Amino acid sequence: MIDFIGDVHGHADKLEELLLKLGYSKPNSFYVHSNPQRKVLFVGDYIDRGPKIRETLEIVKSMVDNGSAIALMGNHEYNALCFHFQETDGGHLRKHLIKNIIQHYQTLKQFQNRQDEYEEYLEWFKTLPLFYETEQLRAVHACWDDKTIAFLKTKLIDHRLTDELIYESVQKETQLHEAIEETLKGKEIKMPAGLDFKDKDGNVRTEIRIKWWEDPAEMSYRELSVEPLKNLPDTKVDLTVLKNTDFYSKDNKPVFFGHYWLKGKPLLNRENVCCLDYSVAKEGYLVAYTFDEETKLVSENLKYV
């Protein structure tokens, strides 16, 4: 009995509104459901962009500390750790480029003169698992690939990163780097030659995020792209641009994730695939799915504010 909640990105007011809608209340210092059997699973990305990042972290962490929630790591929490971690020869694991500073700007600004508090949350980020699985379901921030998750199970400590693993994860030639990139940021492929697009932050990109739950052998570039881009062709995907052609089959247990900045009214991707990120930080919805051990997901269990 889990209520999955998508990327919050510092929108604490929306989060509290959604928690109340789901039947949670705050009799003491943290939110808890009226049914003690129910808890929240947050799929990551608590920080950056929004107006109440500290308040969001306080809500999420207090629920985790008191057993009424599970919180996964998102790519923004991972990026924040790398932005903070210093390299041995100077600089930081995540370079302090303008685009990276801008991505973290709201978080840094809201923790101004609160360095100790911020560093305590950074330490907490390291306790967040990268994925969650039971006999009935799976959850991850961006992408569940069976082979990648199997590798991470052998590499991580209790599904979590250590300082040593964080340093290893930024080394681009390592299997860990590829696994973290895919799990927290999704699968990407190169666009056909000569094509590019600007992402939501205005950065020019030549790679598209793909629907890793669809068979790429049966899809065109336009169909396989998570983001609807007008300049993508309807031609079949060149499978040689993929690391492999694995995809999340319809026979797998339900999987929940965020990350993809979907637009419009929240909908199920498939009976066993549910993306919960509907761009709350871009005037979209904060979305939840109330799971009751059903083997096939149903759209009426999607709740949003």
Side-chain angles (χ1 to χ4, degrees):
M1 299 177 71
I2 296 178
D3 297 309
F4 294 88
I5 293 182
D7 307 30
V8 184
H9 280 303
H11 286 263
D13 292 346
K14 287 280 189 183
L15 175 55
E16 292 191 276
E17 185 182 348
L18 182 59
L19 287 169
L20 292 173
K21 188 171 185 175
L22 294 172
Y24 292 79
S25 61
K26 195 176 180 182
N28 298 302
S29 59
F30 63 96
Y31 280 93
V32 63
H33 200 275
S34 55
N35 179 350
Q37 300 275 318
R38 292 205 75 87
K39 63 173 62 179
V40 168
L41 190 146
F42 294 100
V43 298
D45 280 8
Y46 316 108
I47 64 171
D48 298 336
R49 305 192 190 283
K52 292 189 175 182
I53 292 163
R54 290 178 56 246
E55 293 86 346
T56 296
L57 288 171
E58 184 179 349
I59 292 167
V60 174
K61 185 175 183 297
S62 66
M63 291 181 71
V64 172
D65 289 347
N66 288 282
S68 62
I70 298 160
L72 301 185
M73 181 182 285
N75 64 301
H76 281 254
E77 287 73 50
Y78 172 75
N79 287 347
L81 286 168
C82 294
F83 191 83
H84 181 73
F85 268 51
Q86 292 183 321
E87 291 181 315
T88 53
D89 56 352
H92 295 80
L93 299 187
R94 181 169 170 81
K95 306 303 181 190
H96 288 194
L97 305 174
I98 293 171
K99 73 180 184 69
N100 293 342
I101 293 170
I102 288 173
Q103 185 183 81
H104 296 303
Y105 175 73
Q106 282 298 331
T107 300
L108 299 173
K109 180 182 177 183
Q110 290 173 44
F111 277 99
Q112 186 175 0
N113 299 321
R114 298 174 181 272
Q115 186 69 34
D116 289 346
E117 181 185 347
Y118 182 53
E119 292 187 14
E120 286 174 9
Y121 277 118
L122 289 169
E123 286 298 313
W124 180 67
F125 292 167
K126 289 188 284 186
T127 72
L128 303 178
L130 273 68
F131 52 88
Y132 180 82
E133 183 174 19
T134 69
E135 290 184 6
Q136 292 85 24
L137 58 90
R138 292 166 169 164
V140 67
H141 181 65
C143 174
W144 190 287
D145 178 273
D146 286 337
K147 291 177 182 175
T148 300
I149 297 294
F151 166 72
L152 288 174
K153 285 178 179 177
T154 69
K155 190 75 174 175
L156 303 181
I157 309 301
D158 295 329
H159 303 171
R160 296 165 173 86
L161 288 164
T162 62
D163 287 15
E164 183 180 2
L165 289 171
I166 290 170
Y167 278 104
E168 182 182 341
S169 73
V170 301
Q171 298 171 22
K172 293 188 176 181
E173 71 280 3
T174 64
Q175 188 177 354
L176 181 60
H177 173 77
E178 288 189 9
I180 297 296
E181 288 288 303
E182 186 174 276
T183 302
L184 296 185
K185 302 177 185 180
K187 295 185 179 184
E188 295 186 342
I189 60 170
K190 277 199 168 295
M191 300 173 75
L195 297 183
D196 61 38
F197 72 102
K198 286 186 178 180
D199 67 14
K200 61 189 175 300
D201 296 320
N203 301 308
V204 176
R205 296 186 178 270
T206 57
E207 294 188 335
I208 54 171
R209 290 172 174 169
I210 63 170
K211 299 171 182 173
W212 45 269
W213 55 93
E214 299 285 5
D215 183 354
E218 299 179 359
M219 308 290 279
S220 69
Y221 282 94
R222 189 187 295 267
E223 292 169 328
L224 194 59
S225 175
V226 173
E227 191 167 354
L229 301 173
K230 294 178 181 178
N231 64 338
L232 281 175
D234 287 316
T235 54
K236 292 291 184 182
V237 172
D238 176 4
L239 298 181
T240 64
V241 303
L242 291 164
K243 186 174 67 174
N244 58 58
T245 57
D246 296 345
F247 63 97
Y248 199 83
S249 78
K250 294 180 180 179
D251 300 326
N252 275 321
K253 64 184 77 171
V255 60
F256 299 87
F257 55 97
H259 186 62
Y260 290 100
W261 295 86
L262 302 184
K263 297 180 176 68
K265 182 181 177 181
L267 299 167
L268 287 177
N269 305 87
R270 213 168 62 196
E271 287 182 336
N272 68 332
V273 177
C274 181
C275 180
L276 296 160
D277 182 13
Y278 277 81
S279 307
V280 68
K282 294 282 186 181
E283 300 182 351
Y285 297 103
L286 183 61
V287 183
Y289 184 95
T290 58
F291 183 78
D292 289 304
E293 299 188 356
E294 63 269 25
T295 55
K296 292 184 178 181
L297 306 181
V298 291
S299 56
E300 49 264 38
N301 286 5
L302 286 165
K303 316 289 184 189
Y304 47 92
V305 294

